[in-house]
Amino acid sequence: MKGVTPQDPKQPAGRRGGQQAGPITRSGRSRLATTTDQRLLDSRGPNDWVHTDPWRVLRIQAEFVEGFGALAELGSAISVFGSARTRPDHPMYTTAQQVGKALVEAGYAVITGGGPGIMEAANRGASEADGVSVGLGIELPFESSLNEWVNLGINFRYFFARKTMFVKYSQGFVVMPGGFGTFDELFEALTLAQTSKVTNFPVVLFGTEYWQGLLDWLSGQVLDGGYIVPADLDRLVITDDVEHAVATMRAGAADVPSRGEQLLAEAEDRES
């Protein structure tokens, strides 16, 4: 895409600063060569993992406790995903700002990964609209700190803890042009919806030119091959219109039963 350039790991986009390792910031000689996730998943080396991995559970538990505690009273929120490499002079950056602003005006908090690019733009739109602008950061070797437009930020060491927060505290996803990280969040949401782990969870693909090829492939080779069913494709809404994206989020939220309705249904099930 025009205006999007590869990111140099030595010169990360966004704010320059130290390496973020959960709540800890490291710079200079204290920077680590590997990330916490990498050390957890690396199976090579001596068998000391037998002794160290159980202790990691406490750190993992702490990340869930911190995330649940910080976001418990967030209210209705929508997550916006997209490339960290999108520059401020790119049209999609401006559009992401508009999405963030429109979501706040519709009564939602905005959640992003807290980084630069599309994430920064959505946080900026939400913050400038006096809304709650959430950043869920992750320890990476080439990005540092949350963007300056986040007014509620949490830094995670583990991807899986962070991804749980996106799904648990969002009523839907707006997915803008991005790379592997964006695809990961998109397909995880679709998988959770397909398997009924989440229900009434709208997913908007923003940017017809960017996403149409993916939809053509899904509706062609994937659907024709019997790997998905037509209802799986119905979960996706593709648009270039900010108002349409927000309206899709509202429509999805309207279909979600209240907690009172859920309790009543559970009681009726027990009685029957």
Side-chain angles (χ1 to χ4, degrees):
M1 290 179 60
K2 181 180 179 182
V4 180
T5 57
Q7 182 173 310
D8 180 358
K10 296 180 181 179
Q11 295 292 330
R15 297 167 60 191
R16 300 298 188 267
Q19 177 190 45
Q20 200 70 43
I24 301 169
T25 300
R26 298 177 179 273
S27 61
R29 291 177 176 269
S30 68
R31 292 178 71 96
L32 299 177
T34 60
T35 65
T36 308
D37 259 336
Q38 182 180 347
R39 293 189 294 276
L40 171 67
L41 298 174
D42 192 350
S43 60
R44 294 170 296 178
N47 291 329
D48 60 353
W49 63 269
V50 174
H51 307 288
T52 59
D53 277 4
W55 288 103
R56 285 189 174 125
V57 173
L58 297 177
R59 176 177 279 180
I60 293 167
Q61 175 181 287
E63 292 216 334
F64 280 107
V65 170
E66 290 290 343
F68 292 154
L71 301 175
E73 299 180 3
L74 181 62
S76 298
I78 301 297
S79 288
V80 180
F81 298 101
S83 176
R85 295 184 170 102
T86 303
R87 303 297 180 185
D89 60 353
H90 192 276
M92 197 58 72
Y93 183 99
T94 302
T95 302
Q97 274 186 263
Q98 296 169 352
V99 169
K101 178 176 182 291
L103 287 170
V104 167
E105 291 173 345
Y108 294 104
V110 172
I111 305 175
T112 79
I118 293 295
M119 296 174 282
E120 175 185 290
N123 284 136
R124 180 174 181 175
S127 179
E128 290 180 339
D130 294 324
V132 179
S133 177
V134 181
L136 305 182
I138 185 67
E139 177 187 357
L140 293 174
F142 50 80
E143 288 183 13
S144 59
S145 68
L146 298 172
N147 69 68
E148 62 182 314
W149 301 100
V150 169
N151 52 45
L152 175 57
I154 310 170
N155 280 296
F156 292 88
R157 290 184 172 93
Y158 298 102
F159 265 114
F160 52 84
R162 176 188 188 233
K163 290 165 77 172
T164 298
M165 303 304 154
F166 278 124
V167 176
K168 180 173 175 60
Y169 293 103
S170 297
Q171 277 68 58
F173 286 177
V174 176
V175 188
M176 307 190 75
F180 288 162
T182 303
F183 303 155
D184 179 47
E185 298 294 352
L186 167 61
F187 282 103
E188 179 167 47
L190 294 177
T191 301
L192 292 172
Q194 183 190 58
T195 55
S196 298
K197 299 297 184 181
V198 295
T199 58
N200 299 308
F201 196 86
V203 177
V204 167
L205 300 179
F206 200 101
T208 302
E209 182 180 0
Y210 185 83
W211 293 111
Q212 191 61 56
L214 173 64
L215 285 183
D216 292 343
W217 177 70
L218 290 173
S219 60
Q221 286 182 288
V222 183
L223 180 61
D224 292 345
Y227 302 109
I228 59 174
V229 298
D232 294 328
L233 290 178
D234 293 339
R235 304 178 194 280
L236 291 168
V237 174
I238 187 168
T239 187
D240 294 303
D241 183 76
V242 173
E243 293 183 2
H244 185 199
V246 175
T248 301
M249 296 297 113
R250 280 178 154 169
D255 292 335
V256 178
S258 68
R259 182 56 180 157
E261 291 172 329
Q262 292 174 349
L263 292 173
L264 180 60
E266 291 170 3
E268 291 175 345
D269 288 341
R270 287 194 296 269
E271 292 174 359
S272 62

